[in-house]
Amino acid sequence: MSLTITFLGILILIGLISVVRIHAFLAFLFVSLGVGLALGLAPLSVLDAIQKGIGGTLGSITAIIALGAMLGKLVAQSGAAQRIAVNMMTLVGTRHARWAFLITGFIVGLPLFYSVGFMLLAPLVITVAYRYKLPALYIGLPMLASLSVTQGYLPPHPAPLAILKQFNADMGLTLLYGIIVSIPAILVSGALFGSTLKCYTTLPNPAFIAADLPEDQMPSATVSFLTVLLPILLIGFSTVVSPLLPAGSVGQQVLLFIGEPVVSMFCAVIVASVTLGLRLGKSMPTVTARLADSIKDVAMLFLIFGGAGALKQVLTDGGVNQAVADLMHDSTLHPYVLAWGMAALIRVCVGSSTVSGITTAGFVAPLLTASGVDPNLMVLSIGAGSMMFSHVNDTGFWLFREYFQLSMVDTLKTWSIMETLVSVSGLAGVMALNWVLG
């Protein structure tokens, strides 16, 4: 009965978000209350579970998401991303512009949210396409594939980070495995599939041609690359070096501290405030205003995460998680495939990769204990599933269509297929890595 109630609750959630168009936070609260009462929890117990779920989810990720938004805003408005793109173009030439944007998308996508990265780089793609008379979709899709992969697979992006925290996975290992899985996924969905799109010669929207910043107003290439990559470098250095030091030593404790996502992101924001703000002639009030403005971009994410955490806690307190684990225990499908499939189904129905990833994590958490699978790879399998077949219920679908001026059918044949390849390639990479690790 508990599984039936849960299934009906998920259907109602999907309907409220995708059909009725109620805000995801309100839909989560409505379903959480209804499911909790239907599962037999006392009314006050349902409210306690909702409050506990919201607090527990937001408590572990709010600071990282806020810091990531701040870093993204500084990178976007300082010209650092433009500098990275220009340098990559200079390195490979216009003939290989698609490879330059593929690499740029991955580098910029590591610390930036997808929407920020898209609105930052898409105008650069369109500008290059107009200047050099290149097919915009042909050179731009590899970049979008890179952004999608980093958003779906890699912390400190919101959904992978929230799943990682819930599974108590290791940030460094998840990031390392994620990068290993990301490379073939980007090559398949971006480079290989993108190479078939030369026939799409529709001119992109000229309203989005990027205005070039003067040379003297942009940071140097070294500063741009190092500032953008600083959180990844700190986390990676801590992961690799700290196990080599004596256990409990001061050096190890310092490295472990620096490798914590909150600390590494905080350091990156402080450095970026100087390198991408003060050193470029911006006043401290101007830099502070940009940091404050960045929170507007992620405020709604906090509500969505809180609502998903509330539903997760209600299901947990109602005993549903254990019921799901018992049901799946005898399944012949691998736990990674089960998690991927559930995330993919919710993604297609709801449209939000974030909602899909976090909702799925609440269901499959008991599988980690029951099956003994690697939590780091489970994060990646859910992340891959959450990118499946973006279509008309996903804001990214319409953003892509507006910028590249494609018909509905052509958008489905390009953008939606690319997202599907990102998802399927990710699962294949996870299974291959699981086989290699034994």
Side-chain angles (χ1 to χ4, degrees), residues 324 327-344 360 364 367 378 381-382 427:
V324 172
L327 180 67
M328 292 182 172
H329 185 268
D330 297 324
S331 173
T332 57
L333 291 176
H334 195 283
Y336 297 143
V337 179
L338 284 173
W340 176 86
M342 183 177 293
T360 302
V364 304
L367 280 176
M378 182 62 85
S381 65
I382 294 176
L427 175 63

Side-chain angles (χ1 to χ4, degrees), residues 114 118 137 140-149 153 185-186 188-191 193-194 197 347 387-390 396 400 411-425:
Y114 179 86
F118 182 99
L137 192 59
L141 198 80
M143 178 270 290
L144 297 176
S146 293
L147 289 178
S148 293
V149 166
Y153 298 3
I186 292 172
V188 170
S189 61
F193 176 64
L197 304 180
R347 156 71 163 184
M387 303 308 296
M388 171 62 76
F389 194 71
S390 164
F400 172 83
T411 306
L412 287 169
K413 290 164 63 176
T414 55
W415 166 264
S416 300
I417 297 301
M418 181 271 287
E419 291 283 88
T420 301
L421 290 173
V422 166
S423 180
V424 175
S425 300

Side-chain angles (χ1 to χ4, degrees), residues 194-438:
S195 66
T196 67
L197 304 180
K198 281 187 176 181
C199 58
Y200 291 92
T201 57
T202 304
L203 292 177
N205 194 329
F208 299 117
I209 295 179
D212 287 342
L213 287 177
E215 181 72 20
D216 59 348
Q217 292 184 20
M218 288 192 297
S220 68
T222 301
V223 168
S224 299
F225 277 99
L226 289 180
T227 303
V228 167
L229 294 176
L230 184 58
I232 309 302
L233 295 175
L234 290 176
I235 293 172
F237 183 73
S238 173
T239 301
V240 173
V241 178
S242 59
L244 305 178
L245 300 178
S249 65
V250 175
Q252 186 186 59
Q253 293 301 311
V254 170
L255 283 181
L256 291 175
F257 177 75
I258 293 175
E260 280 295 310
V262 172
V263 178
S264 63
M265 290 297 293
F266 175 73
C267 292
V269 170
I270 296 299
V271 170
S273 297
V274 177
T275 59
L276 305 182
L278 299 179
R279 286 188 59 186
L280 296 180
K282 305 300 179 184
S283 65
M284 196 64 219
T286 300
V287 173
T288 301
R290 288 182 176 179
L291 297 179
D293 188 57
S294 68
I295 302 302
K296 298 176 184 178
D297 299 330
V298 296
M300 287 302 175
L301 274 179
F302 293 142
L303 293 178
I304 294 174
F305 284 143
L311 179 58
K312 178 207 71 174
Q313 192 62 47
V314 166
L315 294 176
T316 299
D317 291 359
V320 173
N321 283 7
Q322 189 57 49
V324 172
D326 293 340
L327 180 67
M328 292 182 172
H329 185 268
D330 297 324
S331 173
T332 57
L333 291 176
H334 195 283
Y336 297 143
V337 179
L338 284 173
W340 176 86
M342 183 177 293
L345 178 61
I346 297 174
R347 156 71 163 184
V348 171
C349 294
V350 174
S352 169
S353 62
T354 299
V355 172
S356 168
I358 297 180
T359 303
T360 302
F363 282 104
V364 304
L367 280 176
L368 292 175
T369 303
S371 62
V373 295
D374 189 332
N376 306 293
L377 292 179
M378 182 62 85
V379 172
L380 298 178
S381 65
I382 294 176
S386 71
M387 303 308 296
M388 171 62 76
F389 194 71
S390 164
H391 58 95
V392 294
N393 61 359
D394 179 21
T395 55
F397 177 92
W398 298 104
L399 195 65
F400 172 83
R401 184 172 182 265
E402 175 65 22
Y403 272 69
F404 289 90
Q405 297 287 282
L406 297 175
S407 67
M408 184 74 71
V409 172
D410 285 344
T411 306
L412 287 169
K413 290 164 63 176
T414 55
W415 166 264
S416 300
I417 297 301
M418 181 271 287
E419 291 283 88
T420 301
L421 290 173
V422 166
S423 180
V424 175
S425 300
L427 175 63
V430 167
M431 299 306 294
L433 190 56
N434 179 62
W435 179 77
V436 171
L437 296 175

Side-chain angles (χ1 to χ4, degrees), residues 6 86 178 241 372:
T6 302
V86 169
V241 178

